[in-house]
Amino acid sequence: MGLKAGIVGVTGYVGEELVRILCRHPEIEEIRVASRDFVGEALDRVFPHLRGHVDREIWGMEKLPDLAAWADVVFLALPHGVSAPVAREVLKRGKRVIDLAADFRLPDVKLYEEWYRVPHGAPELLKDAVYGLPELFRSSISAAQLVANPGCYPTSALLALAPLLKHGLVDRSTVIVDSKSGVSGAGRSPSLGCHFPECNENIRAYGVGVHRHTPEISYYAGVLSGGQVDVFFTPHLIPVTRGILSTVYARMERPMDDASLRRIYEEFYAGEAFVQVAVAGEWPETKWVLGTNRCFLGVTSGAERQAVVVSAIDNLVKGAAGQAVQNMNLMFGLPEVTGLTGPGLYP
Amino acid sequence: MGLKAGIVGVTGYVGEELVRILCRHPEIEEIRVASRDFVGEALDRVFPHLRGHVDREIWGMEKLPDLAAWADVVFLALPHGVSAPVAREVLKRGKRVIDLAADFRLPDVKLYEEWYRVPHGAPELLKDAVYGLPELFRSSISAAQLVANPGCYPTSALLALAPLLKHGLVDRSTVIVDSKSGVSGAGRSPSLGCHFPECNENIRAYGVGVHRHTPEISYYAGVLSGGQVDVFFTPHLIPVTRGILSTVYARMERPMDDASLRRIYEEFYAGEAFVQVAVAGEWPETKWVLGTNRCFLGVTSGAERQAVVVSAIDNLVKGAAGQAVQNMNLMFGLPEVTGLTGPGLYP
Amino acid sequence: MGLKAGIVGVTGYVGEELVRILCRHPEIEEIRVASRDFVGEALDRVFPHLRGHVDREIWGMEKLPDLAAWADVVFLALPHGVSAPVAREVLKRGKRVIDLAADFRLPDVKLYEEWYRVPHGAPELLKDAVYGLPELFRSSISAAQLVANPGCYPTSALLALAPLLKHGLVDRSTVIVDSKSGVSGAGRSPSLGCHFPECNENIRAYGVGVHRHTPEISYYAGVLSGGQVDVFFTPHLIPVTRGILSTVYARMERPMDDASLRRIYEEFYAGEAFVQVAVAGEWPETKWVLGTNRCFLGVTSGAERQAVVVSAIDNLVKGAAGQAVQNMNLMFGLPEVTGLTGPGLYP
Amino acid sequence: MGLKAGIVGVTGYVGEELVRILCRHPEIEEIRVASRDFVGEALDRVFPHLRGHVDREIWGMEKLPDLAAWADVVFLALPHGVSAPVAREVLKRGKRVIDLAADFRLPDVKLYEEWYRVPHGAPELLKDAVYGLPELFRSSISAAQLVANPGCYPTSALLALAPLLKHGLVDRSTVIVDSKSGVSGAGRSPSLGCHFPECNENIRAYGVGVHRHTPEISYYAGVLSGGQVDVFFTPHLIPVTRGILSTVYARMERPMDDASLRRIYEEFYAGEAFVQVAVAGEWPETKWVLGTNRCFLGVTSGAERQAVVVSAIDNLVKGAAGQAVQNMNLMFGLPEVTGLTGPGLYP
């Protein structure tokens, strides 16, 4: 097809992962990259593993108009707050935007400002932004000019919850999402909390009940169920580089055995290329999805009344860059799996 | 005091940890060790890090009568099922036993046999066994001849739950324990699940709802609350060597703010040497308790109705060997902290 | 091209890695797999991450004749000693063999039996076996029926040493290879040495001076230099899953500055798709080659007389399965990089 | 004895480790702490694992005179360049100083300034500074007012090399030190190189031949051998928190078998509490010394001419804080092992 793709914010982990995926994507003709850091450097000096694969100079943000004019699609891998005005610039030139920040995920500007504590940079665009979780909201994505790529935790939580909520199987006031994430989810900027000696051989919870992905999970859980859902969300930091395992708990409205619950999941996700329901006796592991756009789900109904769903994703792929490319495929009428096939790295 | 301590099952991680703690214990005069493996070898050939510290031959199980005759107290770090008859042998000689297996934790032989799938090896002793979780059941321990040392997961879960249950603050039908454990909890015998390339860079759940520590948690939660408690327990395997972080969720009967809930915990554990309640804004990390007999607790009441308690322990110390020594101290009238003081290893 | 590939020993890490690479290889029409373990099981039950990618039953070794008859090429990912007779069976049917064990790496049966302590299973085939390190011995590979795929350590060491030896730059009596390897190099069978709690947070040397890859490195170093080379080889076990970093030391015959030495390396490997020489100021990291068939080299001449070369490979790819596919490409006249392109996983 | 100990630079890993060791030291009466960061905070808010163990406010550097006046001994855990003038202040008040920075390790101010690229802050003190590696230079330490605590790498390298050099067994022009270090050696300040996702699942060399510990190793190797020694030093970063494994290579002047070489090491270190020579067949692991002041050595003579010595230490203990306390014990006439006994943490 010969698409031209721009990546803004290329020097973070999500930006780099977009390069990794897009440089093998058969319909991408060329990639150009920009960033606020490392401006003017060659991409393969910042990321030597890309040497011989992608040979680009990193443009500064002042070249944004050129990038937008050139590109067919622009991916924004920027911090929240920074993203929105950049999106406006690109959309103005009639090019499509896939935003990997939080700026367009919540439809309500007040909710956004309450949780993110910054004024929204382009509130007028919110009404046109489409939430890019294809397995749950596929229809609206194809026509979108602006896709808000979901957060990593919400992706893992919503794919786990959707069948329960859509079928009205659970009490909407008792939903708990207990997530365990690798450290790459915190980005590439060094901090004490992500300093190797502090993370290694350590397990910790953080932002218990107050993490910014909470309203995103709750809001789309509500959309799926057709009513308000109370989600309590606890993220944990685990000493792995990649991977999110979410363990989701909800009270079932009526007793159900494991096999019946599993059947509901298998039917719900039948035909989905990127969602696998584990067979009886298996529980998903993040290693099963390493480097892939997959979500692996395991289910049990506990003592018949406690639905427990475990979901495993790679936070940088299905939780970010891979899902963004999946959205791009939909937006450009390509087969959804283009550039996203093949097994992951094991072990 | 000059106590003589025997350790049976010394070649596993719990047995070794008992040696590490007891060889610095000021009231221990001598340690002798036995095992089913490595019989006749020097302990410091199996564990070179003990060289120069503890110089013992590993006795075979046939020397059990000698060991029992010699010792004041015998620690059993054996697999469940193996432990019970050994305990009987030692008790017969009038010596005290601290059993670190599961054999004497559940008071009901049927419950034990249902979950552990082996006949109980000494059911007649169950009525005299005392559950050795000092902070919750201290009074009965001093007089005990046979202490059942709690499981690692139950220790972390029950310390987190006790104030809620004792004060009747939560709905007893919605208790969820989501635990994350290091790999040493699985013992020293190699297996595919604990093979480095399989564990490293991986997060997984296992035994969801069916782990053998489930009835132990439920039973003692019931004792604490004075009624039946439905606990759903999900353990996860995390690529660290030591540490358990348990995140406990329960529905509060009436709204309460964070500060009030924290105050309840601080009062409940006031004066406890080994339980620390984190201050506002802190969430416990397993690194804060590495190598120590401590439990660090963090609490929030969520949106006023969702009690969330995070507990961090070292699974081999407070979750096993350290708690066993704490029990020994109580049984012999020693200050409870003897041999268990000092900060842990950081980072 | 429509090649049919058989993989024997598919349930180990090297066998699985062959599947991962070959199932994306554009010239592979079909893969069939055999093993001594898990016979009759579906491959995706043993390796759930392959589900939806490769759907094969694992054949037992008794189906070897069928496999050989069907295949165009058979990869042997078997233990040393087991491999040789299987190779004979396949060659008998006129099919090409790429052996990833040690059986055909050393040209001298006595040397093999001295180091591997088993009788050689097919000594008559040694004269026709070709050592499959394409960058150094490419010419003979295309015509080979039987390729001995190099060991992981020798690959990393010989690529680092070749320019020095070919150009006669170093004293052949002082070559030291100090290698650091991830744990997957030890295979998928559980053992105490690879048990997570023993490997994690640990660094250790093993087989110092007596590791079985020593004669392989020495022999081919000798071939490259045209004379005997004394190599002292020390492997170390590092708590990573994948990756070998080898640090190679040799005494230079005459002073040389860094830039000159680097130029020699750049020229030596000019045009090689899989060897990258790091630019001045860079030192290779195993993370730069994760999941790829690349070798990254860094060089310095130290105080003008000490050549130090650091090489980084992924032990399962360039050190095993990837190099085997590179050899297959050569044997079948395909472009050498077919199925082996694209950047690796980072971070 | 009732010693008063001051620690300056307490908020780094070495400072904290000093607290951990000194707060259990039976002859330490009180500890006071200062730092350039976190001034005015409680020590147990910065390091929650110290809560209940050490309750101190962190003083700012302006309280240095008070600290010096109060203390019997002051430990400086400061960056190089910062340390020297602080040492002068303390010495002026007649108090003893143990400096854990590099400022007083090299006796020659020019050598220091060449490698550290800052002017020396107190060159007049160099002549009185004593290099605090007790096993090799014990006699001068007792009388010292100012001890320069060795670097972590030099400690591991010199203990490995000393018997070879003292006995004149090796060619002094071919000494290679290949070290593998955990990440805590880089300190507690976050940086990209120590960011978890960059370190984890990665092996890399750095500062090859140009690391600042090179002149320190070379100089004291020269002192031990009575002549110039050419040491080539390559450090590597390994994804563990603690531990250094150094593999040292030297060419033997005359053939020697393994047993003879081992005997030389055993005799050399006979009576040393903190140096263990591994028995035949054992190779030291960093896990054997975790949290201890020990150095474990393994030796082989290779093919009779290549001496290879592997040494394992905990970089924060024998490589820093533990050795500093060992020096303090000597300076105050205490038994050398005081406060440093007991086995380390395993696994």
Side-chain angles (χ1 to χ4, degrees):
Chain A
M1 184 170 233
L3 289 174
K4 297 185 184 78
I7 301 169
V8 186
V10 72
T11 57
Y13 290 138
V14 171
E16 188 282 332
E17 188 75 2
L18 283 163
V19 175
R20 184 180 77 86
I21 295 171
L22 291 174
C23 80
R24 302 184 68 157
H25 192 290
E27 305 297 345
I28 295 293
E29 180 187 302
E30 197 181 336
I31 299 168
R32 293 192 184 170
V33 301
S35 174
R36 301 181 303 166
D37 306 311
F38 302 99
V39 175
E41 289 198 35
L43 188 61
D44 71 356
R45 286 308 300 270
V46 180
F47 297 120
H49 71 286
L50 292 179
R51 194 160 304 153
H53 297 298
V54 186
D55 175 22
R56 299 302 319 180
E57 186 195 314
I58 300 172
W59 285 355
M61 298 299 278
E62 77 288 352
K63 291 223 185 160
L64 198 63
D66 296 343
L67 187 70
W70 167 83
D72 295 305
V73 57
V74 178
F75 294 87
L76 307 182
L78 293 163
H80 72 264
V82 177
S83 212
V86 177
R88 185 195 283 129
E89 287 303 300
V90 180
L91 290 168
K92 223 191 285 177
R93 279 158 186 85
K95 304 308 175 63
R96 277 173 269 199
V97 170
I98 298 169
D99 180 33
L100 291 100
D103 288 10
F104 301 106
R105 291 177 192 158
L106 298 175
D108 176 355
V109 69
K110 262 189 263 167
L111 194 61
Y112 173 87
E113 297 185 345
E114 178 193 333
W115 283 84
Y116 288 88
R117 308 258 166 214
V118 291
H120 196 288
E124 80 282 7
L125 296 176
L126 277 176
K127 65 178 191 314
D128 297 323
V130 168
Y131 191 65
L133 215 173
E135 288 80 6
L136 305 181
F137 307 101
R138 184 173 283 122
S139 59
S140 48
I141 297 171
S142 335
Q145 287 296 106
L146 170 57
V147 164
N149 213 59
C152 50
Y153 287 124
T155 297
S156 77
L158 293 168
L159 289 173
L161 281 167
L164 296 174
L165 295 172
K166 282 272 210 176
H167 287 290
L169 298 174
V170 294
D171 175 356
R172 297 188 297 202
S173 72
T174 66
V175 175
I176 289 168
V177 176
D178 187 292
S179 295
K180 298 90 183 165
S181 174
V183 185
S184 66
R188 199 170 183 246
S189 298
S191 66
L192 185 58
C194 299
H195 191 46
F196 184 89
E198 303 287 318
C199 286
N200 182 44
E201 192 65 8
N202 198 10
I203 314 171
R204 63 184 178 94
Y206 69 102
V208 182
V210 300
H211 189 280
R212 282 164 171 171
H213 284 176
T214 303
E216 184 181 339
I217 301 172
S218 292
Y219 177 79
Y220 291 100
V223 171
L224 290 167
S225 78
Q228 196 187 319
V229 180
D230 290 342
V231 174
F232 194 93
F233 170 54
T234 312
H236 299 78
L237 196 68
I238 301 298
V240 300
T241 296
R242 287 173 177 241
I244 289 178
L245 195 88
S246 288
T247 312
V248 171
Y249 302 89
R251 201 80 193 155
M252 304 199 78
E253 295 288 6
R254 54 188 177 78
M256 185 176 283
D257 63 21
D258 274 16
S260 307
L261 187 60
R262 181 171 301 110
R263 205 166 318 119
I264 285 170
Y265 272 74
E266 288 166 348
E267 283 167 15
F268 190 92
Y269 287 116
E272 289 295 346
F274 297 122
V275 181
Q276 289 279 329
V277 179
V279 301
E282 279 183 353
W283 286 101
E285 312 189 8
T286 58
K287 200 178 275 293
W288 296 357
V289 298
L290 189 65
T292 79
N293 199 47
R294 280 195 168 176
C295 177
F296 235 106
L297 296 173
V299 298
T300 178
S301 60
E304 303 205 333
R305 294 300 293 272
Q306 183 71 59
V308 183
V309 187
V310 175
S311 77
I313 62 168
D314 183 322
N315 57 302
L316 293 179
V317 191
K318 185 61 179 170
Q323 186 145 270
V325 173
Q326 185 182 358
N327 282 319
M328 181 196 78
N329 289 341
L330 286 168
M331 292 163 88
F332 287 89
L334 298 169
E336 197 168 334
V337 300
T338 314
L340 295 167
T341 53
L345 210 60
Y346 166 90
Chain B
M1 183 171 235
L3 289 175
K4 296 185 185 80
I7 301 168
V8 186
V10 74
T11 58
Y13 289 139
V14 171
E16 188 284 332
E17 189 74 4
L18 283 163
V19 175
R20 183 180 78 87
I21 296 171
L22 291 174
C23 79
R24 302 185 69 158
H25 192 290
E27 305 297 345
I28 294 293
E29 181 188 302
E30 197 182 336
I31 299 168
R32 293 191 185 172
V33 301
S35 174
R36 300 181 302 166
D37 306 312
F38 301 99
V39 175
E41 289 198 37
L43 188 60
D44 71 355
R45 288 307 302 269
V46 179
F47 297 120
H49 70 285
L50 293 179
R51 194 161 305 154
H53 298 298
V54 186
D55 174 21
R56 300 299 321 178
E57 186 196 314
I58 301 172
W59 284 355
M61 298 299 279
E62 77 288 351
K63 292 223 185 161
L64 199 62
D66 297 342
L67 187 71
W70 167 84
D72 295 305
V73 58
V74 177
F75 295 88
L76 307 182
L78 293 164
H80 71 264
V82 178
S83 213
V86 177
R88 185 194 283 130
E89 286 303 300
V90 179
L91 290 167
K92 222 191 285 178
R93 279 158 185 87
K95 304 307 176 64
R96 277 173 269 199
V97 170
I98 299 169
D99 179 34
L100 291 101
D103 288 9
F104 301 105
R105 291 177 191 157
L106 298 175
D108 176 354
V109 69
K110 262 189 262 166
L111 194 60
Y112 173 86
E113 296 185 345
E114 177 192 333
W115 283 85
Y116 287 88
R117 308 260 165 213
V118 290
H120 196 288
E124 80 282 6
L125 298 175
L126 277 176
K127 65 178 190 315
D128 297 324
V130 168
Y131 191 66
L133 216 173
E135 287 79 5
L136 305 180
F137 307 101
R138 184 172 283 119
S139 60
S140 48
I141 296 170
S142 334
Q145 287 296 105
L146 169 58
V147 165
N149 213 59
C152 50
Y153 287 124
T155 296
S156 77
L158 293 167
L159 289 172
L161 281 167
L164 296 174
L165 295 172
K166 281 272 211 176
H167 287 289
L169 298 174
V170 294
D171 174 357
R172 298 188 297 204
S173 71
T174 66
V175 175
I176 289 168
V177 176
D178 187 291
S179 294
K180 298 90 183 163
S181 175
V183 185
S184 65
R188 200 170 183 246
S189 299
S191 66
L192 185 58
C194 299
H195 191 47
F196 184 89
E198 304 286 319
C199 285
N200 182 44
E201 192 65 9
N202 198 10
I203 314 171
R204 63 183 178 95
Y206 68 101
V208 182
V210 300
H211 189 280
R212 283 164 171 172
H213 284 176
T214 303
E216 185 180 339
I217 301 172
S218 293
Y219 177 80
Y220 291 100
V223 171
L224 290 166
S225 78
Q228 196 187 319
V229 181
D230 289 342
V231 174
F232 194 92
F233 171 53
T234 312
H236 299 77
L237 196 69
I238 301 297
V240 301
T241 297
R242 286 174 178 242
I244 288 178
L245 195 88
S246 289
T247 312
V248 171
Y249 302 90
R251 201 81 192 155
M252 304 199 76
E253 294 288 6
R254 54 187 177 78
M256 186 176 282
D257 63 21
D258 274 17
S260 306
L261 187 61
R262 181 172 300 109
R263 205 167 318 117
I264 286 170
Y265 272 75
E266 288 165 348
E267 283 168 14
F268 191 92
Y269 288 116
E272 289 295 345
F274 297 123
V275 181
Q276 288 279 329
V277 180
V279 301
E282 279 183 352
W283 286 100
E285 312 188 8
T286 58
K287 199 177 275 295
W288 297 357
V289 297
L290 189 64
T292 78
N293 199 48
R294 279 195 168 176
C295 176
F296 236 106
L297 295 173
V299 298
T300 179
S301 59
E304 303 204 334
R305 295 300 292 272
Q306 182 71 60
V308 183
V309 187
V310 174
S311 77
I313 62 167
D314 183 322
N315 57 301
L316 293 178
V317 191
K318 186 61 179 168
Q323 186 145 270
V325 172
Q326 186 182 357
N327 283 319
M328 180 196 79
N329 289 341
L330 286 168
M331 292 162 88
F332 287 88
L334 299 169
E336 196 168 332
V337 300
T338 314
L340 295 168
T341 53
L345 209 59
Y346 165 89
Chain C
M1 183 170 233
L3 290 174
K4 296 185 185 79
I7 301 168
V8 186
V10 73
T11 58
Y13 289 141
V14 171
E16 188 283 332
E17 189 74 2
L18 283 163
V19 175
R20 183 180 78 87
I21 295 171
L22 292 173
C23 80
R24 300 184 68 156
H25 192 290
E27 305 296 344
I28 294 293
E29 181 186 301
E30 197 181 338
I31 299 167
R32 292 190 186 174
V33 301
S35 174
R36 300 180 304 165
D37 306 312
F38 301 99
V39 175
E41 287 199 36
L43 187 60
D44 71 355
R45 287 308 300 270
V46 179
F47 297 120
H49 70 286
L50 293 179
R51 194 160 306 153
H53 297 298
V54 186
D55 175 20
R56 301 299 322 176
E57 186 196 314
I58 300 171
W59 285 355
M61 298 299 279
E62 77 289 351
K63 291 224 186 161
L64 198 62
D66 297 342
L67 187 70
W70 167 84
D72 295 303
V73 57
V74 177
F75 295 87
L76 307 182
L78 293 163
H80 71 264
V82 177
S83 212
V86 176
R88 185 193 283 130
E89 286 304 301
V90 179
L91 290 168
K92 221 190 287 179
R93 279 160 186 86
K95 303 308 176 64
R96 277 174 269 201
V97 169
I98 299 170
D99 179 33
L100 291 100
D103 288 9
F104 300 105
R105 291 177 191 159
L106 298 175
D108 176 354
V109 68
K110 264 190 261 167
L111 195 61
Y112 173 86
E113 296 185 346
E114 178 193 334
W115 282 84
Y116 287 88
R117 309 258 165 213
V118 290
H120 196 287
E124 79 283 7
L125 297 176
L126 278 176
K127 64 176 192 316
D128 298 324
V130 168
Y131 191 65
L133 216 174
E135 288 78 6
L136 305 181
F137 307 101
R138 183 172 285 119
S139 60
S140 49
I141 296 170
S142 336
Q145 287 297 106
L146 169 58
V147 164
N149 213 61
C152 50
Y153 287 124
T155 295
S156 77
L158 293 167
L159 289 172
L161 282 168
L164 296 174
L165 295 172
K166 281 273 209 176
H167 287 288
L169 299 173
V170 294
D171 174 357
R172 296 187 297 201
S173 72
T174 66
V175 175
I176 289 168
V177 176
D178 187 292
S179 295
K180 298 89 182 161
S181 174
V183 185
S184 65
R188 198 168 183 247
S189 298
S191 66
L192 185 58
C194 299
H195 191 47
F196 184 89
E198 303 286 318
C199 286
N200 182 45
E201 192 65 9
N202 198 9
I203 314 172
R204 63 184 178 94
Y206 68 102
V208 182
V210 300
H211 189 280
R212 283 165 171 170
H213 284 176
T214 303
E216 184 180 339
I217 300 172
S218 293
Y219 176 80
Y220 290 100
V223 171
L224 291 167
S225 78
Q228 196 185 318
V229 181
D230 290 341
V231 173
F232 194 93
F233 171 53
T234 312
H236 299 78
L237 196 68
I238 301 298
V240 301
T241 296
R242 288 175 178 239
I244 289 178
L245 194 88
S246 288
T247 312
V248 171
Y249 302 90
R251 201 81 191 155
M252 302 200 77
E253 295 287 7
R254 53 187 178 80
M256 186 176 281
D257 63 19
D258 275 17
S260 306
L261 187 60
R262 181 172 301 108
R263 204 167 320 118
I264 286 170
Y265 272 75
E266 288 166 350
E267 284 167 15
F268 191 92
Y269 288 117
E272 289 295 346
F274 296 122
V275 181
Q276 288 280 327
V277 180
V279 300
E282 279 182 352
W283 286 101
E285 312 189 8
T286 58
K287 200 177 272 297
W288 296 357
V289 296
L290 189 64
T292 79
N293 199 47
R294 281 195 165 176
C295 176
F296 236 106
L297 296 173
V299 298
T300 179
S301 59
E304 302 205 335
R305 294 301 292 271
Q306 183 71 60
V308 183
V309 188
V310 175
S311 76
I313 62 168
D314 183 321
N315 58 301
L316 293 179
V317 191
K318 186 61 179 168
Q323 186 146 269
V325 173
Q326 186 182 357
N327 283 319
M328 181 196 77
N329 289 341
L330 286 168
M331 292 162 88
F332 287 89
L334 299 169
E336 197 168 330
V337 300
T338 314
L340 295 168
T341 54
L345 209 60
Y346 166 90
Chain D
M1 183 170 233
L3 290 174
K4 296 187 185 76
I7 301 168
V8 186
V10 73
T11 58
Y13 289 140
V14 171
E16 188 283 331
E17 188 74 2
L18 283 163
V19 175
R20 183 180 79 86
I21 295 171
L22 292 173
C23 79
R24 302 184 68 158
H25 192 290
E27 305 296 345
I28 295 293
E29 180 186 302
E30 196 181 338
I31 299 167
R32 291 191 186 171
V33 300
S35 173
R36 300 181 303 164
D37 307 311
F38 302 99
V39 175
E41 287 198 36
L43 188 60
D44 71 355
R45 285 309 299 269
V46 179
F47 297 120
H49 70 286
L50 292 178
R51 194 159 306 152
H53 298 299
V54 186
D55 175 22
R56 300 299 322 178
E57 187 195 313
I58 300 171
W59 284 356
M61 298 299 278
E62 78 288 351
K63 292 224 186 159
L64 199 61
D66 297 342
L67 187 71
W70 167 84
D72 296 303
V73 58
V74 178
F75 295 87
L76 307 182
L78 293 163
H80 71 266
V82 177
S83 212
V86 177
R88 185 194 282 130
E89 287 303 301
V90 180
L91 290 167
K92 221 190 288 179
R93 280 160 185 85
K95 303 308 175 62
R96 278 173 269 200
V97 170
I98 298 170
D99 180 32
L100 292 100
D103 288 9
F104 301 105
R105 292 177 191 158
L106 298 175
D108 176 356
V109 68
K110 263 190 262 165
L111 195 62
Y112 173 86
E113 296 184 346
E114 178 193 333
W115 282 85
Y116 287 89
R117 309 260 165 212
V118 291
H120 196 287
E124 80 282 7
L125 298 176
L126 278 175
K127 65 177 190 316
D128 298 324
V130 169
Y131 190 66
L133 215 174
E135 287 79 6
L136 305 181
F137 307 101
R138 183 173 284 121
S139 60
S140 49
I141 296 170
S142 335
Q145 287 297 105
L146 170 58
V147 164
N149 213 59
C152 50
Y153 287 124
T155 296
S156 77
L158 293 167
L159 289 172
L161 281 168
L164 296 174
L165 295 172
K166 281 272 209 176
H167 287 289
L169 298 174
V170 293
D171 175 357
R172 297 188 297 204
S173 72
T174 65
V175 174
I176 289 167
V177 176
D178 187 293
S179 295
K180 298 89 183 162
S181 174
V183 185
S184 66
R188 198 168 184 247
S189 298
S191 66
L192 186 58
C194 299
H195 191 46
F196 183 89
E198 303 286 318
C199 286
N200 183 44
E201 192 65 9
N202 198 11
I203 313 172
R204 63 184 179 93
Y206 68 101
V208 181
V210 300
H211 189 280
R212 283 165 170 170
H213 284 176
T214 303
E216 184 180 340
I217 300 172
S218 293
Y219 177 80
Y220 290 100
V223 171
L224 290 167
S225 78
Q228 197 187 318
V229 180
D230 290 342
V231 174
F232 194 93
F233 171 53
T234 312
H236 299 78
L237 196 68
I238 301 297
V240 301
T241 296
R242 288 175 177 241
I244 288 179
L245 195 88
S246 288
T247 312
V248 171
Y249 303 90
R251 201 80 192 155
M252 304 200 77
E253 294 288 5
R254 54 186 178 78
M256 185 176 282
D257 63 19
D258 274 17
S260 306
L261 187 60
R262 182 172 301 108
R263 205 167 319 117
I264 286 170
Y265 272 74
E266 288 166 349
E267 283 166 15
F268 191 92
Y269 288 116
E272 289 295 347
F274 297 123
V275 181
Q276 287 281 328
V277 180
V279 301
E282 278 182 354
W283 286 101
E285 312 189 7
T286 58
K287 200 178 274 294
W288 296 358
V289 297
L290 189 64
T292 79
N293 199 47
R294 282 195 166 177
C295 176
F296 237 106
L297 296 173
V299 299
T300 179
S301 59
E304 302 205 334
R305 294 301 293 270
Q306 183 70 62
V308 184
V309 188
V310 175
S311 77
I313 62 167
D314 183 322
N315 57 303
L316 293 178
V317 191
K318 185 62 179 169
Q323 186 145 270
V325 173
Q326 186 181 357
N327 282 319
M328 180 196 78
N329 289 341
L330 286 168
M331 292 164 88
F332 287 89
L334 298 169
E336 197 168 332
V337 300
T338 314
L340 295 167
T341 53
L345 209 60
Y346 166 90

